[in-house]
Amino acid sequence: PVSLRKRTSPPTTPPNSLKTCLVIPDAQVGFRRSPEGDLEPLHDRLAMDVVLQVCVELRPSKIVILGDMLDLAPWSTKYSTSPGLRFTTQHSLVELFWFLGCLRETCPDAEIVYLEGNHENRIERALKEKVDEALDVRPANDPKGLPSLSIPRLLSLDSLDIDYRGPYGASYWLWDEVRIHHGHVVRGNSGGTTSAILNNSSHSQIVGHIHRVESHSKTIQVAGGSKIITAMSPGCLCRLDEAVPGFAGKPKNWQQGFGLVHKDEHGVAVTSIPILAGRAVLNQKVFVGEDYTDKLVEDTGLKF
């Protein structure tokens, strides 16, 4: 007969030895204005609030934003913009700044990195095509500062101590082990994108862009043995219905979520946490997103 011994001691890994990075995917903050003048968000405030609650719970030492946090439909030079999407940029900037301010308030000592996505790059592309002189214009009293129409300036990221990494395609190496970038590879089938990325990689990677929760891992040989690498996409924080431009009445295979990377002396672990109907489960807790619109209106003085 087998004798089972009851485990009485807790795990031996000291909590302080564990480092945590929160990875925030595409929110595509933007609006569609109704004929009555009301602003309908393209982003999902419940999903975004879940991320804010997780920040309070985990207090990560690093936060990496994958890009496409703004939709910027009015600035697209590739796709036509419907009238309801126009003249919504100011409200988009204000709400995203408010959200980023909440992240900074929650994690005052965290390193926050914001990677440029193809949607942030829309402003630069539009200026290059229509009026390229505006690309490098700066205020007269700050001629060496950031260009007036650059994303870091428009979002006042310096005031939040957020490190903006551009141009589109720029990478951030997390703990010199995980390459994080917005991404450009898109495969039509579920799991196809991270599988394609992993096939040609010798290191772990995290990408946004595809709005799907995907993860693939493989074991590779390295000096002294082997290691496991992972390619992961944490999904998105935008709405999953037809509100987001580009749906054209055809449902897309998108999922909401966020990413976590943990590191200790044994290596890194890359995981994605899904958000389902405004709810996420983490650390045996259920995080239920709340509509923060009233707080946003109170703090900004704008009508949302």
Side-chain angles (χ1 to χ4, degrees):
V2 177
S3 175
L4 298 178
R5 185 180 65 176
K6 183 177 180 181
R7 184 188 178 109
T8 57
S9 59
T12 57
T13 303
N16 291 338
S17 71
L18 190 67
K19 299 178 181 178
T20 301
C21 175
L22 172 67
V23 182
I24 301 176
D26 318 34
Q28 292 192 221
V29 173
F31 297 92
R32 190 185 303 274
R33 196 182 301 275
S34 72
E36 295 75 27
D38 297 324
L39 291 172
E40 177 190 12
L42 309 179
H43 46 289
D44 191 324
R45 288 177 178 149
L46 299 185
M48 294 174 71
D49 186 68
V50 167
V51 169
L52 292 177
Q53 292 183 39
V54 168
C55 253
V56 174
E57 171 75 11
L58 298 181
R59 302 298 172 95
S61 59
K62 294 181 183 290
I63 299 172
V64 180
I65 299 166
L66 284 175
D68 280 8
M69 293 299 287
L70 291 164
D71 186 77
L72 296 176
W75 296 83
S76 176
T77 58
K78 184 177 180 181
Y79 303 101
S80 60
T81 302
S82 64
L85 295 168
R86 302 188 66 189
F87 304 105
T88 57
T89 302
Q90 190 63 57
H91 278 76
S92 302
L93 292 169
V94 170
E95 178 159 351
L96 181 55
F97 175 77
W98 181 89
F99 174 80
L100 296 174
C102 291
L103 289 178
R104 174 51 74 199
E105 183 179 23
T106 301
C107 303
D109 300 321
E111 178 188 13
I112 303 180
V113 177
Y114 185 143
L115 300 171
E116 181 172 299
N118 53 295
H119 279 257
E120 282 88 3
N121 187 241
R122 279 179 166 177
I123 291 181
E124 180 179 335
R125 294 200 307 268
L127 294 177
K128 284 182 178 178
E129 185 171 314
K130 302 294 184 181
V131 53
D132 57 357
E133 187 169 349
L135 281 169
D136 207 37
V137 171
R138 295 167 169 81
N141 63 345
D142 190 17
K144 295 184 179 180
L146 294 167
S148 297
L149 291 177
S150 66
I151 293 294
R153 186 100 179 190
L154 291 172
L155 286 173
S156 192
L157 296 183
D158 282 351
S159 69
L160 300 174
D161 192 23
I162 293 178
D163 180 11
Y164 188 80
R165 302 286 181 95
Y168 170 44
S171 299
Y172 172 75
W173 281 91
L174 177 64
W175 298 309
D176 295 325
E177 295 191 56
V178 182
R179 181 189 173 212
I180 306 179
H181 54 112
H182 180 70
H184 65 277
V185 176
V186 180
R187 297 289 184 268
N189 58 309
S190 293
T193 302
T194 52
S195 177
I197 292 172
L198 192 64
N199 286 340
N200 299 301
S201 183
S202 59
H203 48 265
S204 292
Q205 297 193 51
I206 299 175
V207 297
H209 192 57
I210 63 172
H211 294 194
R212 291 199 295 260
V213 177
E214 294 187 6
S215 182
H216 277 77
S217 298
K218 72 176 181 180
T219 302
I220 62 173
Q221 300 304 308
V222 296
S226 62
K227 72 173 182 177
I228 298 173
I229 63 172
T230 301
M232 185 268 282
S233 166
C236 64
L237 298 177
C238 59
R239 288 172 56 177
L240 304 181
D241 58 15
E242 296 185 11
V244 178
F247 266 98
K250 184 178 180 181
K252 297 290 186 181
N253 180 20
W254 291 359
Q255 301 91 41
Q256 294 175 336
F258 58 91
L260 292 174
V261 186
H262 298 295
K263 176 179 172 59
D264 63 10
E265 64 272 20
H266 301 292
V268 297
V270 178
T271 58
S272 59
I273 307 297
I275 299 174
L276 305 173
R279 299 159 62 91
V281 179
L282 179 68
N283 292 350
Q284 296 185 338
K285 295 182 180 180
V286 179
F287 297 85
V288 181
E290 298 179 1
D291 188 346
Y292 57 66
T293 306
D294 290 343
K295 296 178 183 177
L296 178 64
V297 170
E298 180 181 355
D299 289 348
T300 64
L302 296 179
K303 181 180 177 180
F304 283 92

